[in-house]
Amino acid sequence: MPTAREALLDTAASTLAVLPWPEVRMGRIAAAAGFSRQTLYNEFGGKDGLGRALIGRAADRYLAGVDEAVGTHAATGRGPVELALWTVRAARADVLVRALLTGFWDARLPRPGPPGPTGGTEPEGADGPPGHRPTPCQAPPAPAELLALARDRAVAVLRGAGPSQDDTGLESRCEIALRIGLSYAVAPAVTAPSPVGSDAVRLVHEALARDPGC
């Protein structure tokens, strides 16, 4: 069974898929998740805190997916290819992952602002009922930081899966894969429909084949 926090985040994510963030209402999310409005505020402090938690969870899930995608195929030498493929799929499947990777936050999404205060009160219209204490939440990584985290995690997984490899070359291969994956997530190829990420996979293969020691 998911915790109250996870259930509320799941409901908020489902709501965000059909409504722009400015139209999302805390009471509606609490009711749909089967919890009281007070429980929602206790967990997140208010709507801003809920938005930050959604963004943080999206970043965490993307990075966890990097570990899984690269780790599953590390022994086959497809680690960088799977890194690109996962990046394309994750960005296309989750608008928050896409925004985290590109830095483009449109009006439909919660904003990745700094953590709220840990004390004091705010008026009802700002972020919750009078007297509530917003739950602190770590600011999400900027796009360059998130890509660096993904690259470093992929390198760590690959290094742990086999014989020692040249660190510089391995980092470059993962960086190339990430950049190619991101480019296809932002601007898919103008070709006949193909499986998600297949164009990125092809290009990663070609790029790394030209200079396997990069």
Side-chain angles (χ1 to χ4, degrees):
M1 289 287 292
T3 64
R5 185 179 184 86
E6 284 301 312
L8 289 164
L9 284 170
D10 289 342
T11 302
S14 298
T15 303
L16 182 61
V18 296
L19 287 176
W21 186 248
E23 296 181 18
V24 172
R25 296 292 177 262
M26 297 289 279
R28 180 183 298 178
I29 290 174
F35 294 95
S36 69
R37 194 166 180 264
Q38 188 59 52
T39 297
L40 180 56
Y41 280 106
N42 288 344
E43 288 289 342
F44 304 105
K47 188 175 179 181
D48 287 349
L50 175 61
R52 288 190 292 268
L54 278 172
I55 294 168
R57 185 174 76 159
D60 290 343
R61 287 184 169 183
Y62 168 69
L63 291 173
V66 167
D67 294 342
E68 181 178 359
V70 175
T72 301
H73 299 274
T76 67
R78 283 181 53 87
V81 172
E82 294 299 325
L83 176 59
L85 184 58
W86 165 246
T87 297
V88 175
R89 290 176 172 171
R92 291 192 189 176
D94 189 331
V95 292
L96 293 178
V97 171
R98 181 185 175 101
L100 281 162
L101 288 169
T102 63
F104 178 71
W105 299 84
D106 66 30
R108 291 182 54 86
L109 303 178
R111 304 295 297 179
T118 57
T121 62
E122 296 178 22
E124 169 69 29
D127 199 31
H132 83 281
R133 291 181 177 272
T135 304
C137 184
Q138 185 176 2
E145 295 169 335
L146 184 58
L147 287 172
L149 286 171
R151 179 201 63 210
D152 292 347
R153 288 175 73 142
V155 168
V157 171
L158 291 171
R159 288 184 63 193
S164 178
Q165 302 184 53
D166 176 68
D167 286 351
T168 302
L170 192 55
E171 287 181 5
S172 296
R173 290 166 69 83
C174 289
E175 181 87 20
I176 289 170
L178 274 170
R179 297 291 176 175
I180 291 174
L182 180 58
S183 70
Y184 275 94
V186 173
V190 185
T191 58
S194 58
V196 174
S198 61
D199 293 318
V201 167
R202 175 184 55 78
L203 194 57
V204 171
H205 275 303
E206 291 178 1
L208 299 184
R210 290 193 185 99
D211 191 358
C214 63

